[in-house]
Amino acid sequence: MIPKEIISSLVHKAYAELDEPSARVCHDIIFFLSSHKSGDMQHITYQTIMNGLHKNEVSTLFDNDDLVLHMMRSLDYLTSSKLHILDIHFQFYGPTEDEPSYIDKSELAEAIVSGKFYHPESGEEVEDFRKYIFPFFSPSSYWMSINE
């Protein structure tokens, strides 16, 4: 369990650095994450976060498009060096895949620059690869250290 003083400090920082609606969503994401052990939250998707937000009042304050926008701003902030309680990762989930494949960030960066991405298993070039790349999140080492 994370001490309330630390959660309060994180939330206060979010309100100081984000616009009010995004800070409110960030607040609820922090509380959602703090309600789970870090070990249970190693593969956090946008859907995981949305499900957590829909359990809170914040989901009634915005229409779905605005909620998604503020969630995206909040996740950007939570993965940045400003707060860094989440790490961002990427996975490839093609149309014939049963399970996603982890993609190294440098591999993805190279694919974006070159415009070419090769299937992690077969090595074949994947057309329109961007539609098969999905982010996911995991607790940062800092978050793990305070939420054991």
Side-chain angles (χ1 to χ4, degrees):
M1 184 63 114
I2 300 174
K4 289 183 181 182
E5 311 82 56
I6 292 177
I7 292 175
S8 178
S9 172
L10 295 171
V11 169
H12 179 73
K13 191 171 182 182
Y15 272 95
E17 297 184 6
L18 293 172
D19 61 90
E20 198 280 330
S22 295
R24 171 65 188 180
V25 171
C26 190
H27 166 271
D28 281 13
I29 292 172
I30 291 169
F31 274 89
F32 170 69
L33 295 172
S34 70
S35 70
H36 295 83
K37 290 185 178 187
S38 293
D40 297 337
M41 300 287 283
Q42 291 299 309
H43 193 269
I44 304 165
T45 64
Y46 289 136
Q47 192 59 54
T48 307
I49 298 294
M50 285 300 283
N51 290 345
L53 292 174
H54 282 296
K55 293 178 182 176
N56 295 314
E57 177 190 343
V58 73
S59 67
T60 64
L61 301 177
F62 307 105
D63 67 30
N64 199 58
D65 289 345
D66 284 343
L67 183 59
V68 169
L69 171 69
H70 296 304
M71 178 190 72
M72 299 296 279
R73 286 180 180 160
S74 297
L75 288 170
D76 181 56
Y77 179 70
L78 295 172
T79 59
S80 75
S81 61
K82 294 177 182 177
L83 205 57
H84 194 216
I85 66 171
L86 292 174
D87 289 326
I88 189 167
H89 311 277
F90 299 92
Q91 59 192 359
F92 171 79
Y93 204 158
T96 60
E97 274 33 70
D98 291 330
E99 294 290 325
S101 299
Y102 176 81
I103 302 170
D104 184 81
K105 291 177 190 173
S106 61
E107 184 182 340
L108 179 58
E110 185 179 318
I112 290 169
V113 169
S114 70
K116 295 182 182 208
F117 177 80
Y118 299 93
H119 192 282
E121 302 290 324
S122 71
E124 294 178 25
E125 186 175 346
V126 177
E127 296 294 322
D128 298 323
F129 70 89
R130 292 174 191 243
K131 67 182 179 183
Y132 304 115
I133 306 292
F134 300 95
F136 69 97
F137 307 90
S138 66
S140 68
S141 56
Y142 168 69
W143 187 258
M144 296 280 281
S145 73
I146 62 173
N147 188 26
E148 296 179 2

